[in-house]
Amino acid sequence: GAALVTGTLTVTHIVFGSDATLGHHPLEYVIFPFIVAASLRAGPPAAALVILGASAVTIWHTVRGSGPFAGAEVHSSLIQLQAFMGILAGTGLLLAAAIAERETGERRRAAAAAVSEILSTSTDLTTAAPCILKGICQSLDWQMGALWLVHRSEQRLNCLAIWSEEDRASGSFAAVTRQSTFAAGTGLPGRVWASGHSAWI
């Protein structure tokens, strides 16, 4: 990410800091590969940072009267620059969003496959629960996961299993989680149980 931002700023400074006579050549389009690379390799945050850096450099040089969009009137020059940067930003952010969505879909399919494989070879849920949590958390890049089941006679949620990366499942938080029970509407697990819908904090 740092290399992409540095490369973008350097190239943008060279192109837009040059003499205005170079405006007859489409040199401003050499910025596009950096935007595409940031979108593909580092996702929306890096793409947005690269676009921000390029925008700052291009506006600064255009206002000073240099670069491909520099003209006699600063106002018209900035309008042309805004149109170019809008296309640049739209392309980069849409591409980054599409890549991020595809990666999310792949992680969800991997989690579903991991759970299906575990359930097909397990005899009961109590034995399979830790492996299910591990498969889901590792596939979706979660740090911790807990599986809650409804105790029908008591009408409360009990923690069946908990998993965390770096073996944090044996800590005090995990111990309290295992001992806690929730009624419908109480706590995050209870709210999810009562509403029947996913929730995030």
Side-chain angles (χ1 to χ4, degrees):
L4 287 169
V5 172
T6 303
T8 304
L9 293 177
T10 302
V11 172
T12 306
H13 177 71
I14 292 172
V15 172
F16 282 82
S18 61
D19 191 84
T21 56
L22 293 176
H24 300 292
H25 305 284
L27 297 179
E28 63 272 16
Y29 292 101
V30 300
I31 305 172
F32 270 90
F34 292 94
I35 303 298
V36 172
S39 302
L40 292 175
R41 294 184 60 86
L49 188 59
V50 168
I51 291 166
L52 174 64
S55 299
V57 174
T58 56
I59 291 171
W60 184 66
H61 281 300
T62 302
V63 169
R64 293 177 64 249
S66 62
F69 298 102
E73 296 183 6
V74 175
H75 181 69
S76 60
S77 300
L78 289 177
I79 290 176
Q80 295 179 45
L81 176 62
Q82 184 178 11
F84 171 74
M85 292 307 300
I87 295 171
L88 186 71
T91 301
L93 293 177
L94 284 175
L95 180 60
I99 296 298
E101 185 177 356
R102 187 190 69 181
E103 291 176 350
T104 300
E106 291 176 352
R107 287 198 299 268
R108 289 176 178 172
R109 284 190 291 274
V115 171
S116 299
E117 183 178 354
I118 294 165
L119 289 176
S120 66
T121 58
S122 299
T123 56
D124 59 88
L125 185 58
T126 303
T127 305
C131 298
I132 290 173
L133 288 174
K134 181 179 179 180
I136 292 174
C137 292
Q138 288 182 340
S139 298
L140 299 179
D141 197 24
W142 292 352
Q143 294 179 344
M144 180 173 286
L147 179 60
W148 299 82
L149 290 183
V150 178
H151 195 287
R152 292 297 178 185
S153 60
E154 299 179 3
Q155 283 298 296
R156 298 184 71 84
L157 284 172
N158 295 323
C159 181
L160 179 64
I162 187 169
W163 179 91
S164 69
E165 62 182 7
E166 300 177 1
D167 198 28
R168 296 177 189 166
S170 59
S172 57
F173 176 78
V176 172
T177 301
R178 292 178 193 277
Q179 297 170 4
S180 300
T181 60
F182 292 98
T186 304
L188 181 63
R191 293 201 302 273
V192 172
W193 178 26
S195 65
H197 298 288
S198 302
W200 289 265
I201 57 171

